[in-house]
Amino acid sequence: LGVVPLIGKIFEIGPMPAAGGAEVVNNLKHKLMKEDWVAASGPSKRRVIDYGNLDSSVTQLPIGNSGNLASPYYGNLVKDYNEGNARQILLEESKWTKVKKMEFLPS
C-alpha cells in the first residue's frame, strides 16, 4: 500500500539502509532505470527451517508482529530484520507456555 497516492506514506517504515539486491536472499527490488537504489519492494518474511533439528528453526517478519498501523508492534521488528536477527519458531507445545494467549469466547 506504500505506493498508493495520498495514503501510501502512512504505511511506510523508514527510510533506512538495508543490504540486499535482486539476485540475493534479501531480495530487495528497486525501480528499473532509476539508480538511486531505493528499495521499492522486498520479502514479506524470512524463515530458515532445519529439518534435522526443527527446534533450531528461525523466522523474522520485516515490518513487525502486527499489520495494524495503530498497534505498538507495527514496525517493531524492522531493525532486527535488517540486521539479520531472527526469532526461534516455537514448534514444541511445552515452549508455547511462554507465549501470550488470547481466547475468543461466544457471548
Side-chain angles (χ1 to χ4, degrees):
L1 292 172
V3 297
V4 177
L6 300 176
I7 65 164
K9 294 288 183 196
I10 61 175
F11 293 99
E12 289 183 3
I13 299 170
M16 66 198 68
E23 290 83 23
V24 297
V25 173
N26 196 27
N27 191 352
L28 299 175
K29 304 277 188 187
H30 65 279
K31 292 184 179 176
L32 193 60
M33 305 300 289
K34 189 175 181 188
E35 294 187 12
D36 61 4
W37 308 111
V38 173
S41 65
S44 62
K45 183 181 288 189
R46 180 179 294 139
R47 182 175 289 160
V48 178
I49 305 293
D50 182 348
Y51 290 104
N53 181 9
L54 289 175
D55 288 336
S56 67
S57 299
V58 295
T59 189
Q60 189 61 286
L61 301 169
I63 64 165
N65 286 334
S66 173
N68 179 350
L69 286 171
S71 169
Y73 302 107
Y74 185 79
N76 69 322
L77 298 175
V78 70
K79 183 178 179 214
D80 283 343
Y81 185 88
N82 282 339
E83 292 175 356
N85 299 325
R87 295 170 175 244
Q88 182 182 14
I89 300 174
L90 302 177
L91 297 171
E92 288 185 30
E93 188 173 357
S94 63
K95 293 182 181 177
W96 297 354
T97 58
K98 298 177 185 177
V99 178
K100 293 180 183 178
K101 182 178 178 182
M102 180 186 300
E103 288 186 51
F104 293 95
L105 302 172
S107 59

